[in-house]
Amino acid sequence: MTNFWDILYLMASSFLFVAYLIILFHVVLDLFRDPDLAGGYKVLWLIGLVFLPFLTALGYVLARGRGMAQRQQAALQRARSDTEAYIREVAAKSPAEQIGDAKALLDAGTISQGEFDRLKQKALA
């Protein structure tokens, strides 16, 4: 039965250690992500993380946890908008393709010469 408790202890301690490392990683990332925190304070937090890592990480999360969440949300929003802008840029047709499509519609008789000219001007703008 001792072996069972040893395995259970190893699993629990491993889980807590990995969770602690993840929290430490997020704290360090947030320190460098925060533009409002002065450089001296960042150094003090980092020194605290080196000498008293558990207490400093706990204090950081308690003192600056709300700001951490807001900065993470802003970073995710920026990444999403950048990705959407890139997709729109890549997926958009070139002006030559737009004019070619409009010319095909003009040749087929679907649009008039005036509509073709408006589409051409829009594509070139």
Side-chain angles (χ1 to χ4, degrees):
M1 195 58 133
T2 305
N3 199 15
F4 171 76
W5 293 110
D6 289 340
I7 292 172
L8 190 64
Y9 175 75
L10 178 65
M11 286 176 28
S13 62
S14 297
F15 173 78
L16 289 175
F17 181 69
V18 169
Y20 167 71
L21 287 178
I22 290 172
I23 290 171
L24 210 62
F25 181 70
H26 279 287
V27 166
V28 171
L29 279 178
D30 188 65
L31 274 172
F32 289 107
R33 183 182 288 156
D34 188 7
D36 298 332
L37 191 63
Y41 291 117
K42 290 179 183 183
V43 169
L44 289 175
W45 279 111
L46 287 174
I47 290 172
L49 286 171
V50 169
F51 291 111
L52 294 170
F54 183 76
L55 291 176
T56 305
L58 183 65
Y60 188 87
V61 169
L62 290 174
R64 301 178 49 84
R66 177 168 291 168
M68 283 178 74
Q70 292 169 349
R71 283 183 291 279
Q72 178 70 20
Q73 188 72 16
L76 290 173
Q77 190 65 24
R78 271 192 313 273
R80 173 180 279 167
S81 64
D82 290 346
T83 301
E84 289 173 356
Y86 174 74
I87 290 171
R88 270 189 245 104
E89 177 184 324
V90 171
K93 289 186 174 183
S94 70
E97 290 174 326
Q98 291 176 0
I99 293 170
D101 291 345
K103 179 66 174 161
L105 290 173
L106 178 65
D107 292 342
T110 308
I111 61 173
S112 66
Q113 183 64 38
E115 291 171 323
F116 171 74
D117 292 336
R118 278 194 304 264
L119 290 172
K120 185 177 174 182
Q121 290 300 322
K122 184 179 177 184
L124 295 175

